[in-house]
Amino acid sequence: MSRQMVRPGGRSARVQASVHTAVRELASEVGRDALTVPLVAQRAGVTPSTIYRRWGDLQELLSDVAVERLRPDTAPDDHGAMSSDLTAWAEQFLDEMASPTGRAYIRDALLGDPDGSNAGQCSAYASDQINLILTRASERGEKTPAVEAVIDGVVAPMMYRILFRPDGLDAAYARRLVAELLGQTGP
């Protein structure tokens, strides 16, 4: 088994896809708290030992599914100016992450993450999206902040609020963070 190569579209990929699909379907049908490895295995058409061997336990499986669900589906929209692009991205990020589903995915991603790799992957998703926005702006001749400045000034406060103080979060909060980062004043 250890000599088996993992091929895109191979058995390993099919197992992952069917198990991820089973988790998502069952979570919506019976609720996340009712999930068990045998239930997921039965739905996915694999043995429980396959899941334990690959993911270790239910929490690590839920974490893996959450990280995949937190991956952005598309590139950030191009509105023609860095300020507009960052603002639209921050509003969408906040809306998705602050939703009950988004918060559950964040929790799952972190709970089954003993070595921090899932958190790092989720952070990389945001960094990649921000980098694309800043690269486009730079190519248009705009002066841009560093990716880490956007992480520190926009993403970090939003994530803190999402996790620990979620009340009152709205698009205006995201717009204010971007405006402060870019040194803009106004409402």
Side-chain angles (χ1 to χ4, degrees):
M1 180 105 175
S2 61
R3 292 181 308 225
Q4 180 183 13
M5 296 291 292
V6 176
R7 300 179 314 277
R11 182 178 187 283
S12 180
R14 287 193 306 274
V15 166
Q16 178 174 340
S18 65
V19 170
H20 277 219
T21 298
V23 167
R24 290 192 306 272
E25 289 174 353
L26 287 166
S28 68
E29 291 169 20
V30 302
R32 183 199 164 283
D33 293 340
L35 293 180
T36 64
V37 168
L39 188 63
V40 171
Q42 180 181 18
R43 174 66 63 96
V46 300
T47 63
S49 63
T50 297
I51 292 176
Y52 290 122
R53 197 169 41 252
R54 179 159 182 163
W55 285 280
D57 63 21
L58 180 63
Q59 190 58 64
E60 288 189 37
L61 170 58
L62 293 175
S63 187
D64 189 45
V65 170
V67 170
E68 186 63 31
R69 299 305 291 167
L70 291 169
R71 178 195 311 265
D73 293 335
T74 58
D77 290 337
D78 187 346
H79 298 276
M82 179 183 58
S83 174
S84 302
D85 290 353
L86 271 179
T87 300
W89 179 84
E91 287 176 6
Q92 181 179 354
F93 181 88
L94 181 62
D95 185 55
E96 290 175 2
M97 297 298 165
S99 72
T101 302
R103 292 179 67 215
Y105 284 141
I106 293 167
R107 183 184 66 235
D108 282 341
L110 298 177
L111 282 175
D113 190 24
D115 63 359
S117 62
N118 288 346
Q121 185 59 58
C122 292
S123 178
Y125 294 155
S127 293
D128 291 348
Q129 295 255 303
I130 293 164
N131 188 53
L132 180 58
I133 290 168
L134 299 181
T135 298
R136 287 191 308 221
S138 182
E139 289 169 354
R140 289 190 296 258
E142 295 181 73
K143 185 175 184 289
T144 62
V147 170
E148 288 302 311
V150 179
I151 295 287
D152 290 346
V154 178
V155 178
M158 285 196 300
M159 287 303 294
Y160 181 87
R161 290 287 305 270
I162 288 165
L163 291 172
F164 301 113
R165 298 185 66 178
D167 292 341
L169 288 180
D170 57 16
Y173 178 67
R175 287 192 297 271
R176 181 171 57 80
L177 291 173
V178 172
E180 288 172 0
L181 172 77
L182 299 179
Q184 301 167 341
T185 57

